[in-house]
C-alpha cells in the first residue's frame, strides 16, 4: 500500500478534516473548496491508520460520485483494480438495497423483492386510481405521476398525505379522501406483490436500524461513517445516519447549508443546521479556501448569502488572482436581454473561449425561450442541460398543434396530437377522424362538419370544435390572443397530466409573450418551423462543445469560465410564489449557487419590461440585487440609474415613443412620475 504525505497534498483546512480524530465532525464545505478531495483523502487516511475498509461506510447521492470516490481512494492507496477493497460505498438507496436483501427478512421483507422504478410505480398507481376514479372524467382526476409525487413527499418528509397534498398540490385537496385511500391501497399491493419503490428502500432501512437485534448488528457493522452533500438529506436519511452512528459517534458529514436548494424533494436544511445539537461534542470545520472563482466573484457571493439569517457563517477566500468585477446589466426588454447575451457569447467565442465553458443559468426553464431564438439566429450551438429545448416541450407542441391545423388543415401529425389529448379518442379513432376531415376543402368548412362518434369521443369532438371554431373566427387577430384561447381550454388537461403544471404554464405564458409580436399566423408558423428545424439539426450534432443552458438547480456542482444569470427580476428571482421567510432564504441560496458557478466572468442581467399583445408589463430588478453593494459590479448605464432607484420607490416606464431595437443605447425608459 502506497504511503501518502497528507500534509503536503492538502491545504491546512482540508488536512485538519482529513486527520480529525474520533467523534462527530461537521464539515462546512464552501463552493469550490475541494470537498470531494477532502472526503476521499479522509477515507484513505482512515485505511492508512489501520481501519479496515469494510468498517467504513461512504454515502453519496449519486452512484457516479460514489464510484469515483472509491476509485480515487484505491488510487491514493495504490490498490489495484483486481485487488479486493471492501469499503462500503454508494448512494443511500443502493446501500439500503444491499442491506434489505441480507437482513430484510427480520422485518417481513423477502430477499427476492423487486424494485419499482418511477415508471413502474406510476403504472401501478394508474391501475389503482382507475378503480377509485372510475366515473370521474380524465380532466377532473389527478395523474399517476401527481399521485406518486404526493405519496413520495409524504414518505420522505414524514408527514401525512393531507399535509403533503396541502403543500404540493393544494388545488387537489377536495379529493383528499381519494388520495388517502389510493395511498393505502398502493402500500397494500406493493406488500402483496413483494415489491418496493425507492422510498420504501429508505423507510425499511430506517426500520432495520430500529430493530432490537438487527439494529445492534448495523450499529456495529461500521466504525466510521462518511456522508457527502449532507445538506441534501431528508428526515429519513438523517435518522438512518443518527441510528447507525449513535453508538460509536464516528460520523463525518460534509455539506454546505448555503447550497441547500432541494426542499421540493423533501431535503431538510435543518438536518445540517441542527447537526451539532444532535451530535453532542461535535467539532465544526470550515473549508473556506475557494479554488474556482476570482476574488471579485467571491466578494459578491459572500454578500449574497450574508443576508440569510438561518445559516452557518462562512467567508470564501480566493486562491486565484484579481480579475474583473461581475457585470450587472439592465436591458429594456426580454428581447433585448436575449440579444445582448447572444452577442456577448459571440464575442467571448471570438476571443477564443471554448463554447462549452460558457453557461446561461435561469430560475425557471421558461426564461430560456427568447435566448434560444437569438442563439439560433446567430448560429450558436447550445445544449439544454437536464431538459428539452423550448419548442421541443410536450405542452408547447400541444398548444401549437391547434395553430398548425389552422395554417395547414391537412397536417396529420398536428391533428392526431390534438385528438389524442381528449377522452375517448385513441390512435384508431384519431386516424378515422383525420381521414374524414380530409374530405373538407378548407378549414373553414369545419364549423358545419358532422362526425358520427361514440358518446365520449363525440363529447370530446364538440370541445375540440368549440376551440377551433373560435380560432377560425379570430384567425386574422394577434397570435398571442389566439394562443390565450387555446391555453384557456388546455389548462385543465395540463394540471391533470403533469405534476409540474405550474412551471409548464409559465412556459405557455412565455409563448404568449413571444407570439404577441406576430399579427400574421403564417409568419408566426414560419418562425416556429425554423426554430424546430434548428432544434433538430443541433440535436443531431451531439456536440460536446456547445454553450450550456440550464436551470440553477441543474447546475449545482458544475462550473464554467463565464456564467450569465438571466431574468433577475422581482417576478422571476425569487420565484413569486415564495413568500415565507424560509422560502425566500432558499431562493437566496439558489442565487448564491448560481453566482458561485462562475470561474472568471459573471454577468447578471434583467429586462425592465416584457411586451405582450395587451400592452407592456414593467419589471423591477430582483430584491436580491438591490440588497447588494453597487460597488461590487460593473454597470451599464441603464443598470446604474435604474437598479438602486427602484429601492427608493422610483419606477421606470417604457417611453411610448420608443420602439425596441438592438442598438447600444440605453434610452427608451422614463421615470414614472405619476405619484410625484
Amino acid at each position: 500500500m502506497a504511503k501518502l504525505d497528507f500534509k503536503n497534498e492538502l491545504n491546512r483546512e482540508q488536512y485538519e478534516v482529513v486527520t480529525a480524530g474520533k467523534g462527530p465532525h461537521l464539515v462546512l464545505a464552501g463552493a469550490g473548496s475541494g470537498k470531494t478531495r477532502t472526503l476521499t483523502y479522509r477515507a484513505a487516511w482512515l485505511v492508512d491508520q489501520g481501519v479496515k475498509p469494510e468498517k467504513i461506510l461512504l454515502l453519496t447521492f449519486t452512484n457516479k460520485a460514489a464510484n469515483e470516490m472509491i476509485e480515487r481512494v484505491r488510487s491514493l492507496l495504490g490498490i489495484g483494480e483486481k485487488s479486493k477493497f471492501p469499503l462500503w460505498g454508494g448512494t443511500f438507496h443502493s446501500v439500503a438495497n444491499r442491506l434489505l436483501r441480507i437482513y430484510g427478512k427480520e422485518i417481513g421483507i423477502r430477499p427476492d423483492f423487486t424494485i419499482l422504478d418511477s415508471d413502474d410505480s406510476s403504472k401501478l398507481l394508474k391501475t389503482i386510481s382507475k378503480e377509485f376514479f372510475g366515473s370521474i372524467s380524465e380532466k377532473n382526476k389527478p395523474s399517476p405521476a401527481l399521485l406518486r409525487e404526493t405519496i413520495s413527499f409524504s414518505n420522505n418528509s414524514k408527514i401525512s398525505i393531507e399535509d403533503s397534498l396541502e403543500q404540493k398540490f393544494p388545488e387537489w385537496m377536495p379529493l383528499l379522501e381519494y388520495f388517502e385511500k389510493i395511498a393505502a391501497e398502493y402500500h397494500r399491493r406493493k406488500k402483496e406483490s413483494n415489491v418496493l419503490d425507492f422510498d420504501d428502500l429508505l423507510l425499511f432501512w430506517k426500520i432495520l436500524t430500529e430493530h432490537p437485534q438487527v439494529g445492534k448488528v448495523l450499529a456495529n457493522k461500521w466504525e466510521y461513517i462518511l456522508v457527502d452533500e449532507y445538506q441534501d438529506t431528508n428526515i429519513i436519511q438523517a435518522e438512518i445516519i443518527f441510528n447507525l452512528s449513535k453508538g460509536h459517534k464516528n460520523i463525518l458529514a460534509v455539506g454546505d447549508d448555503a447550497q441547500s436548494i432541494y426542499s421540493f424533494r423533501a431535503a431538510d436544511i435543518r438536518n445540517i443546521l441542527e447537526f451539532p445539537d444532535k451530535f453532542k461534542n461535535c467539532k465544526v470545520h470550515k473549508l473556506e479556501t475557494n479554488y474556482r472563482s476570482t476574488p471579485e466573484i467571491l466578494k459578491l457571493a459572500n454578500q449574497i448569502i450574508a443576508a440569510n439569517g438561518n445559516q452557518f457563517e462562512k467567508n470564501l477566500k480566493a486562491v486565484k488572482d484579481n480579475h474583473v468585477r461581475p457585470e450587472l446589466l439592465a436591458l429594456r426588454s426580454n428581447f433585448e436581454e436575449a440579444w445582448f447575451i447572444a452577442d456577448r457569447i459571440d464575442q467571448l467565442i471570438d476571443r477564443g473561449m471554448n463554447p462549452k465553458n460558457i453557461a446561461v443559468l435561469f430560475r425557471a426553464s421558461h426564461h430560456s425561450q427568447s435566448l434560444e431564438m437569438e442563439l439560433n439566429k446567430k448560429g450558436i450551438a447550445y445544449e439544454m442541460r437536464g431538459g428539452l429545448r423550448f419548442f421541443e416541450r410536450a405542452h408547447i407542441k400541444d398548444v401549437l398543434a391547434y395553430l398548425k391545423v389552422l395554417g395547414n388543415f391537412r397536417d396529420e401529425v398536428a391533428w392526431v396530437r390534438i385528438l389524442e389529448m381528449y377522452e375517448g379518442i385513441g390512435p384508431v379513432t384519431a386516424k378515422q377522424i383525420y381521414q374524414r376531415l380530409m374530405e373538407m376543402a378548407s378549414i373553414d368548412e369545419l364549423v358545419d362538419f358532422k362526425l358520427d362518434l361514440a358518446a365520449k369521443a363525440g363529447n370530446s369532438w364538440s370541445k375540440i370544435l368549440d376551440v377551433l371554431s373560435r380560432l377560425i373566427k379570430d384567425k386574422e387577430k394577434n397570435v398571442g390572443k389566439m394562443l390565450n384561447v387555446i391555453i384557456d381550454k388546455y389548462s385543465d388537461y395540463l394540471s391533470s397530466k403533469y405534476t409540474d403544471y405550474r412551471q409548464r404554464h409559465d412556459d405557455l405564458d412565455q409563448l404568449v409573450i413571444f407570439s404577441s409580436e406576430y399579427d400574421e399566423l403564417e409568419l408566426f408558423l414560419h418562425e416556429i418551423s425554423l426554430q424546430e428545424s434548428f432544434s433538430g439539426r443541433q440535436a443531431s450534432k451531439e456536440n460536446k462543445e456547445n454553450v450550456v443552458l440550464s436551470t440553477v438547480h441543474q447546475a449545482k456542482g458544475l462550473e464554467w469560465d463565464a456564467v450569465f444569470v438571466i431574468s433577475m427580476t422581482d417576478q422571476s428571482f425569487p420565484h413569486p410564489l415564495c413568500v415565507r421567510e424560509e422560502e425566500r432564504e432558499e431562493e437566496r441560496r439558489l442565487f448564491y449557487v448560481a453566482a458561485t458557478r462562475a470561474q472568471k466572468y459573471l454577468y447578471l442581467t434583467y429586462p425592465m419590461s416584457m411586451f405582450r399583445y395587451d400592452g407592456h408589463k414593467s419589471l423591477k430588478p430582483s430584491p436580491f440585487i438591490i440588497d447588494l453593494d453597487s460597488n461590487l459590479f460593473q454597470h451599464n448605464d441603464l443598470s446604474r440609474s435604474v437598479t438602486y432607484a427602484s429601492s427608493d420607490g422610483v419606477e421606470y416606464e417604457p417611453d411610448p415613443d420608443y420602439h425596441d431595437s438592438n442598438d447600444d443605447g440605453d434610452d427608451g425608459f422614463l421615470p414614472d412620475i405619476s405619484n410625484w
Side-chain angles (χ1 to χ4, degrees):
M1 192 165 66
K3 195 66 181 173
L4 287 165
D5 186 352
F6 289 95
K7 198 160 192 174
N8 283 331
E9 295 195 27
L10 302 163
N11 69 30
R12 180 186 57 78
E13 297 166 341
Q14 293 169 340
Y15 181 73
E16 180 185 297
V17 172
V18 167
T19 59
K22 292 186 175 183
H25 297 273
L26 176 61
V27 183
L28 300 171
S33 63
K35 74 172 179 65
T36 302
R37 181 180 182 83
T38 304
L39 205 53
T40 53
Y41 271 79
R42 170 66 172 178
W45 184 82
L46 289 172
V47 176
D48 187 65
Q49 296 298 299
V51 179
K52 294 178 181 179
E54 62 268 28
K55 287 295 183 178
I56 301 170
L57 173 62
L58 171 60
L59 290 169
T60 67
F61 276 84
T62 67
N63 284 313
K64 181 183 177 186
N67 293 333
E68 287 177 353
M69 284 191 199
I70 292 172
E71 288 308 307
R72 180 64 177 146
V73 175
R74 275 181 173 275
S75 175
L76 289 172
L77 296 171
I79 299 172
E81 285 184 23
K82 295 182 180 179
S83 300
K84 187 178 179 182
F85 188 59
L87 185 149
W88 277 72
T91 64
F92 279 87
H93 293 90
S94 66
V95 173
N97 178 41
R98 291 172 66 184
L99 294 174
L100 286 169
R101 295 193 188 280
I102 300 170
Y103 304 105
K105 59 183 178 293
E106 300 296 335
I107 56 171
I109 305 295
R110 291 170 50 185
D112 60 344
F113 66 84
T114 51
I115 299 173
L116 295 177
D117 61 21
S118 57
D119 187 50
D120 295 330
S121 176
S122 290
K123 285 178 180 175
L124 178 55
L125 283 166
K126 184 177 182 179
T127 300
I128 296 169
S129 66
K130 281 182 178 178
E131 297 169 12
F132 286 89
F133 292 129
S135 60
I136 300 178
S137 66
E138 288 293 328
K139 73 173 185 178
N140 292 323
K141 62 185 181 184
S143 68
L146 193 145
L147 288 164
R148 180 170 55 81
E149 189 164 328
T150 303
I151 295 169
S152 178
F153 192 76
S154 166
N155 289 332
N156 288 306
S157 303
K158 283 187 72 176
I159 59 177
S160 65
I161 292 292
E162 181 178 5
D163 289 341
S164 177
L165 191 61
E166 179 68 41
Q167 287 186 43
K168 300 290 284 183
F169 311 109
E171 56 274 32
W172 289 100
M173 282 298 287
L175 294 179
L176 171 62
E177 184 181 353
Y178 288 94
F179 275 80
E180 291 174 332
K181 288 179 178 178
I182 289 169
E185 180 63 12
Y186 175 61
H187 177 71
R188 190 191 70 77
R189 292 211 192 169
K190 284 187 296 177
K191 187 174 182 179
E192 183 179 75
S193 304
N194 191 34
V195 298
L196 304 180
D197 62 20
F198 286 120
D199 299 332
D200 292 328
L201 294 174
L202 298 182
L203 290 169
F204 287 121
W205 184 10
K206 186 181 87 72
I207 291 171
L208 278 182
T209 66
E210 296 165 347
H211 188 273
Q213 285 77 45
V214 180
K216 290 178 183 177
V217 172
L218 295 180
N220 294 317
K221 191 171 187 65
W222 301 285
E223 294 175 4
Y224 290 87
I225 297 175
L226 312 176
V227 187
D228 191 19
E229 303 284 12
Y230 197 76
Q231 78 282 347
D232 293 337
T233 55
N234 62 39
I235 191 169
I236 304 296
Q237 291 163 325
E239 288 180 355
I240 289 169
I241 296 302
F242 180 78
N243 292 341
L244 291 175
S245 57
K246 64 184 177 183
H248 54 68
K249 296 183 175 59
N250 295 326
I251 168 71
L252 186 142
V254 179
D256 184 5
D257 56 294
Q259 297 186 70
S260 179
I261 58 173
Y262 295 120
S263 66
F264 63 93
R265 294 182 189 165
D268 194 336
I269 191 174
R270 291 175 299 181
N271 291 341
I272 191 168
L273 293 178
E274 296 173 3
F275 189 94
D277 298 324
K278 196 162 189 178
F279 292 92
K280 302 302 179 187
N281 302 314
C282 170
K283 183 166 184 182
V284 178
H285 309 261
K286 295 182 181 180
L287 301 183
E288 297 176 303
T289 303
N290 178 283
Y291 294 91
R292 176 185 297 155
S293 306
T294 64
E296 292 79 6
I297 291 171
L298 292 184
K299 283 179 185 176
L300 178 66
N302 285 331
Q303 192 172 111
I304 289 170
I305 202 62
N308 272 8
N310 201 22
Q311 64 164 319
F312 291 109
E313 288 188 14
K314 290 179 292 296
N315 185 45
L316 296 182
K317 300 178 288 288
V319 169
K320 291 183 175 179
D321 293 333
N322 288 328
H323 195 49
V324 296
R325 283 178 293 171
E327 291 189 41
L328 177 60
L329 304 121
L331 290 311
R332 290 168 292 197
S333 71
N334 54 312
F335 300 114
E336 186 170 295
E337 180 188 39
W339 178 86
F340 165 81
I341 293 166
D343 188 63
R344 183 60 61 92
I345 288 173
D346 211 13
Q347 291 176 30
L348 290 170
I349 294 171
D350 284 345
R351 281 160 33 191
M353 188 175 289
N354 191 316
K356 71 177 182 180
N357 292 328
I358 302 171
V360 183
L361 307 182
F362 27 83
R363 172 61 183 84
S365 58
H366 67 272
H367 296 142
S368 71
Q369 184 268 324
S370 298
L371 177 61
E372 287 188 56
M373 300 198 65
E374 283 297 332
L375 292 174
N376 286 333
K377 288 176 184 175
K378 285 184 171 289
I380 298 173
Y382 65 91
E383 67 166 287
M384 184 65 68
R385 185 65 56 87
L388 295 170
R389 297 163 188 269
F390 189 83
F391 290 103
E392 293 173 351
R393 298 169 194 168
H395 47 293
I396 298 297
K397 286 177 170 283
D398 285 348
V399 298
L400 289 178
Y402 288 90
L403 297 183
K404 287 183 177 181
V405 299
L406 227 60
N408 171 20
F409 83 98
R410 295 187 177 278
D411 187 332
E412 182 177 3
V413 173
W415 269 116
V416 170
R417 189 173 195 99
I418 294 169
L419 292 164
E420 290 187 357
M421 279 189 270
Y422 286 81
E423 196 172 5
I425 302 179
V428 174
T429 305
K431 187 174 182 180
Q432 290 172 348
I433 292 174
Y434 174 75
Q435 289 171 342
R436 285 291 319 279
L437 291 171
M438 290 307 96
E439 297 171 13
M440 298 188 305
S442 77
I443 191 71
D444 296 322
E445 296 178 19
L446 186 65
V447 179
D448 300 315
F449 198 77
K450 304 297 181 185
L451 285 173
D452 184 21
L453 298 168
K456 276 189 178 179
N459 185 46
S460 291
W461 174 249
S462 297
K463 294 175 183 177
I464 295 169
L465 198 60
D466 177 56
V467 177
L468 289 172
S469 297
R470 292 175 63 185
L471 292 176
I472 292 168
K473 182 180 176 183
D474 295 341
K475 195 174 177 182
E476 304 305 319
K477 291 187 177 179
N478 181 277
V479 177
K481 288 184 178 180
M482 296 170 68
L483 273 171
N484 267 340
V485 170
I486 300 166
I487 293 167
D488 182 56
K489 298 295 183 182
Y490 178 75
S491 292
D492 285 342
Y493 174 82
L494 188 73
S495 60
S496 66
K497 184 173 176 64
Y498 300 106
T499 59
D500 58 346
Y501 53 87
R502 297 186 191 93
Q503 294 93 317
R504 291 174 187 261
H505 214 294
D506 288 340
D507 282 354
L508 297 177
D509 286 344
Q510 187 62 40
L511 182 64
V512 171
I513 291 166
F514 161 64
S515 65
S516 298
E517 292 282 294
Y518 295 85
D519 289 320
E520 293 182 38
L521 180 60
E522 186 178 353
L523 287 176
F524 174 77
L525 292 175
H526 177 65
E527 182 61 50
I528 292 301
S529 65
L530 285 176
Q531 294 302 318
E532 291 172 335
S533 173
F534 280 129
S535 293
R537 288 204 303 271
Q538 287 203 19
S540 66
K541 290 179 182 177
E542 293 289 332
N543 190 346
K544 294 183 179 180
E545 303 293 302
N546 294 347
V547 171
V548 172
L549 273 58
S550 173
T551 63
V552 183
H553 283 103
Q554 287 285 343
K556 185 173 172 287
L558 304 175
E559 60 187 26
W560 295 272
D561 284 350
V563 171
F564 296 80
V565 186
I566 69 172
S567 199
M568 289 294 304
T569 73
D570 64 331
Q571 295 299 303
S572 302
F573 214 150
H575 194 284
L577 293 179
C578 295
V579 293
R580 300 199 315 269
E581 183 58 29
E582 61 266 30
E583 293 172 331
R584 300 278 285 197
E585 289 208 345
E586 180 161 338
E587 289 291 297
R588 192 176 282 109
R589 293 194 294 270
L590 195 60
F591 181 26
Y592 171 82
V593 167
T596 53
R597 300 310 94 199
Q599 295 176 298
K600 297 179 181 177
Y601 302 96
L602 176 61
Y603 305 89
L604 307 181
T605 69
Y606 67 90
M608 293 178 59
S609 70
M610 200 164 278
F611 292 91
R612 300 168 55 105
Y613 65 88
D614 54 355
H616 74 273
K617 180 179 181 180
S618 294
L619 300 170
K620 297 178 184 177
S622 165
F624 293 163
I625 289 177
I626 295 170
D627 289 344
L628 299 170
D629 180 356
S630 66
N631 293 317
L632 294 174
F633 296 106
Q634 298 180 71
H635 297 262
N636 68 344
D637 290 342
L638 194 54
S639 160
R640 189 176 296 281
S641 59
V642 172
T643 304
Y644 301 97
S646 175
S647 63
D648 294 329
V650 178
E651 294 186 30
Y652 279 68
E653 296 284 337
D655 182 348
D657 296 323
Y658 164 72
H659 298 285
D660 197 16
S661 68
N662 291 331
D663 61 30
D664 295 325
D666 284 322
D667 56 329
F669 278 79
L670 301 171
D672 177 10
I673 59 172
S674 58
N675 294 319
W676 289 18

